[in-house]
Structures are given as C-alpha cells and as structure tokens.
Amino acid sequence: MRNMRTPHLATTKTVTALLCMLGVISNAHAQFATTIIPVTPPETAASTQQAAPAKATPKAAAKPAAAKPAAPAVAATPPVAAPVAAAGGRVDPRPVDSILVVVNNEVITRQEVADRLASVEKRMTSQNVQLPPRAQLVRQLVERMIVERAQAQMAKENGIVVDDVMLDRAMQRIAEQNKLSMPEFRTRLESEGMNYASFREEIRREILSQRLREREVDNKVVVTESEIDNYLAAEANAGGQRQELDIAQILIRVPENASPEQLATRRERAEDVLRQLKTGADFAKTAAAYSDAADALTGGDLGWRPSDRLPQLFLDGVAKLQDGQVSGLLKSGNGFHILKLVGRRDAGGTQAAAPAVQQTHVRHILIKVNQVVTAAEAKRKLTELKERLDHGASFEELAKLYSNDLSASKGGDLGWIYPGDTVPEFERAMDQLKPGEVSQPIESPFGYHLIQVVERKTDDASRERTRQAARQAIRDRKIEEATEDWMRQIRDRAYVEYRNDE
C-alpha cells in the first residue's frame, strides 16, 4: 500500500481526501467515497416516491407527490425578503424561508440550499472548475443534500453521533497536520474563501457518513483465501509492476429496479453527454452539470489511485486510452459511466516490496449494547472494570466473567491481529496503546470494549506480508463496490417530495 504525503491545505482537493490523510476515515473509503453517492435526478424521482417510506411521512408531505417533480431550480435564488415594520414606521426587509424538499420526515429549506450553493461556487472557482449553468448546479447540490439528510437520519436511528468533542479533536488534527495552530488554521480557511462554521459542519457530515458506512458495509465484507490466490496470480502474470491512474468520471445513475423506460431514458442522457464530450465540451464542466456522482462538483476527478484499488470495470474501460482521451459508455449496476484518463504513472515498486507489517497480540472485554443494556450502562460497567484492572485485577479473569463474545472463554484473547483485521475504531484505539496498557472504554459497532495490548512484532515473513497486502487491496475494492450499492439504496428508498410552489 502506498504511503500518502500530506499536501498543504491549499492543494487539498476535497474534504474527504483531507479526512483520509488525518486517519479520521480510512484510505479505502476516502479514495472511493466521492464516487459512490448515487442520486436520482428529477425525471426519475417519481419512481422513488412510489416506494413506501421507511418512516412515517410528515404532515407536510402527506399529500401525494407529483408524478414528475420539476428540478428545484428556484433554490438558486435566495429567499424573498418580506417587509417588516421598524421603529418610526420604517419598513426593513426580512428574509422569508420556505421548504424546498421533504426527505422522509425532515425538510431542506431554500435558505439551506442558497448557503451551500455559495460555498460550492467558491470552492469550484478556487479549484478552477468551470461553473455549469446555475439551474444544473442547483440540481446537483440538492441531490447531494438529499442523500446527506437520508444518511443523517439513518445514523440517528442507529445511535451514531458525532458530538462537538469528537469534532473538535478532528479539527485540531487537521490543523496539526497542516502545521498550524487553530487560530492560524481558521484564518487560512477564511483567506481561501471557506466559512469556518460551514467547513466544520462538512467535517461532521463526513465523519458521520464514514462511521455509518463502517457499521453498515465494512463488517459485511469477507475476503477468502481463494480470492487472495487469484489476486496474487494475476499480479505475477502482470510482472508485479504496480501502476497508478488518475481518472475522472461522469456517472449517469440508474435507479435500483429501474423500468425499461427509465433505463432507456438514462442511456439516452448518457449518450447525449458523450456526444457533447466528443465535440469538445470540457469534461470537468460537463461532470459538474450532468454527473450523478458525488464528485460531480469537483469535476469528476477521482485523483491518483493504485490500479489494484480501482474497479475492474474502470481498468478495462481505460486500458486502451491515451492520456486525455475519453471512454465510451460503461454499464455497471449503478448506471452508465464515462471515464477520462487524466494520467498514468509507475507506482514506484512492486507488490513484493510492500513495507513490513506490524502485528499486535491483543485481548479485550466486550459489553454489547442491546435492548437490555444501554450504551451508558455498558460504558459505566467497563469504567468500573478499568478501575479494578488499575488496582491489580486480572484482565483474563474479568474477561471470562464479563465479556460478551466467544473470546471470553480464552480470557478475551483475540490472538495476533494484522492491520485491517478489525473495525477502524478498535484498531485506532489499539494502535495508540503500549504493550501492557489498557484503554478507556472504546465504542465500536459491536458495543463497548476495554482493550489491552499484550505484545507487538513485525512480520518479516515475505509470503505472509504479501498475502496481507493482497487481502487489504481486495477488501478495499470490495468495500468500494458494496458501498456504492448501499448508497444507491439509501437514495432510492428515501421518500422525496419537491416543493416548487412559492
């Protein structure tokens, strides 16, 4: 796996990439996160609304949605100002907000969209991405906000919260990574046209989204030994030389269980976009105007990635392209893709030259959260056990008595752990411990843990190191593909109603 250097803040392309560099989210997710948020454009939203909403529909959304809701272009205009009588009879304007979109049991207002639009336009301008027509940009932004709102609702249902303390720590790490104090970091953001409060909330949304993905996707991904064998065989046939590719994409999304008519409509749209590109249209501007991927507002650029972290569909699609050339239509389960090969380069090494892998011998005590045991009770119980351990109690004996998983019979012993073998929350806490040290209660998708590192070693067996690197590459790729499907389902299953009446 390649080592990633931290660029200066001014050269950071996206918040997702920034979070990746900080370790706030995993590299695998960050590399693909901006390609996997599917949205339903207005012409296909009707099919989404026909599905029964997962939650009770609010009173505001009780009336039937229009069969073909129009694009919410009105969001590009700030809310109308209503007159307000001031002292002395003078009339001053006051902004009047209104509902633009209903998402399940919550709303997105015109003022929210106008605020985000201003931020997006500044960012695109700073990244030298040509702005598409305002109505198209608003449509893209509203669809992004719909997905974010549906994600936030799902996270809330699952008890996932990013509180201010956690957010403050993330912001501090970002500042430290850029070798800035917090006041200097804030000044730098504002000098680059970014509102500090808006940036902070964007970080909160990214962390929340990542934690939800870890819970809903990561834990279900399995890599078999035969998959590793096949991967290594393919590497050997390719001579072991690794490449990195810089690819930009435009995604014309197809809804889940699309009808033949919907499929034909989306294909026609994709073919029209391809015709524009073939006749000289700028790829980044076209992506910002038409792409249904979350990277649309950054021109569709995925950045440099190792070839083994890209979907096979993408590798096949650009295999015969020269730098700057555009592929034909590529069909995936998520829709129609158009790819541009921005560049190709040698990654500077082979699979066999992968760095040594550190293994950790670890044990834990797990208290699961369920209908009987609340999160607060689980945390309180582990805090009590931590105090007992600090006063000389045996970790092994307490694990046998109180741990809620199969390792309890072995005194909580999980054996030797490779990087990537466990969930990110557990691994981050484990990596910060010294041998013999016990953590504070740590939350993960499984519940709350006390973690103790027994010992560490560096795996010098080249065969095992190579297999572990292969396992991680396969896991990253499978997570990307599984996340793509999961995100599409979130959007397709959300109840969405556009409100275009003033």
Side-chain angles (χ1 to χ4, degrees), residues 28 43 55 59 182 189 255:
E43 66 264 28
K55 305 180 186 176
K59 292 181 180 179
M182 282 305 298
L189 283 174

Side-chain angles (χ1 to χ4, degrees), residues 222-446:
V222 177
V223 179
T224 66
E225 293 300 314
S226 61
E227 287 176 317
I228 296 174
D229 292 339
N230 293 337
Y231 177 92
L232 293 176
E235 284 280 311
N237 291 336
Q241 190 65 39
R242 306 180 71 194
Q243 276 196 329
E244 290 181 345
L245 304 175
D246 187 0
I247 294 175
Q249 74 152 339
I250 293 173
L251 169 65
I252 305 301
R253 180 183 171 275
V254 174
E256 189 178 23
N257 301 319
S259 67
E261 292 77 14
Q262 287 177 312
L263 185 61
T265 298
R266 305 305 282 165
R267 179 182 286 276
E268 183 178 348
R269 181 181 179 187
E271 290 173 344
D272 178 60
V273 170
L274 184 58
R275 279 193 295 271
Q276 293 183 43
L277 295 171
K278 295 294 187 183
T279 54
D282 180 76
F283 193 96
K285 181 179 180 180
T286 305
Y290 294 102
S291 180
D292 294 325
D295 52 48
L297 300 182
T298 57
D301 191 2
L302 306 183
W304 288 101
R305 299 188 188 175
S307 58
D308 58 10
R309 299 303 199 275
L310 286 166
Q312 191 61 45
L313 177 71
F314 285 19
L315 294 177
D316 295 341
V318 302
K320 297 181 180 180
L321 298 183
Q322 301 296 319
D323 290 0
Q325 290 185 331
V326 174
S327 73
L329 291 187
L330 305 173
K331 179 69 170 68
S332 75
N334 204 37
F336 296 99
H337 303 261
I338 302 172
L339 305 179
K340 176 182 177 180
L341 179 61
V342 180
R344 192 192 308 265
R345 69 187 183 191
D346 185 355
T350 65
Q351 187 69 34
V357 176
Q358 178 176 265
Q359 290 180 276
T360 304
H361 184 192
V362 66
R363 53 188 179 186
H364 77 150
I365 300 172
L366 169 66
I367 304 294
K368 294 182 178 179
V369 177
N370 50 45
Q371 294 178 341
V372 177
V373 180
T374 66
E377 290 171 343
K379 190 173 182 180
R380 178 184 57 79
K381 183 61 180 177
L382 287 179
T383 300
E384 293 175 357
L385 295 179
K386 175 68 162 58
E387 291 178 0
R388 293 173 63 179
L389 290 169
D390 289 343
H391 288 84
S394 166
F395 194 102
E396 181 178 354
E397 292 304 318
L398 292 184
K400 288 179 178 178
L401 289 173
Y402 297 105
S403 192
N404 295 153
D405 73 341
L406 296 177
S407 71
S409 62
K410 299 181 290 183
D413 195 344
L414 298 176
W416 288 97
I417 300 295
Y418 279 98
D421 280 353
T422 185
V423 293
E425 298 95 337
F426 189 101
E427 184 168 319
R428 283 195 293 268
M430 178 185 72
D431 288 345
Q432 294 173 5
L433 297 174
K434 299 175 182 177
E437 189 177 0
V438 178
S439 72
Q440 295 296 327
I442 300 298
E443 183 184 7
S444 84
F446 301 105

Side-chain angles (χ1 to χ4, degrees), residues 170-185:
M171 296 295 288
Q172 184 66 44
R173 288 197 297 272
I174 294 173
E176 291 173 355
Q177 197 74 13
N178 285 277
K179 299 180 180 179
L180 299 171
S181 66
M182 282 305 298
E184 291 171 338
F185 177 59

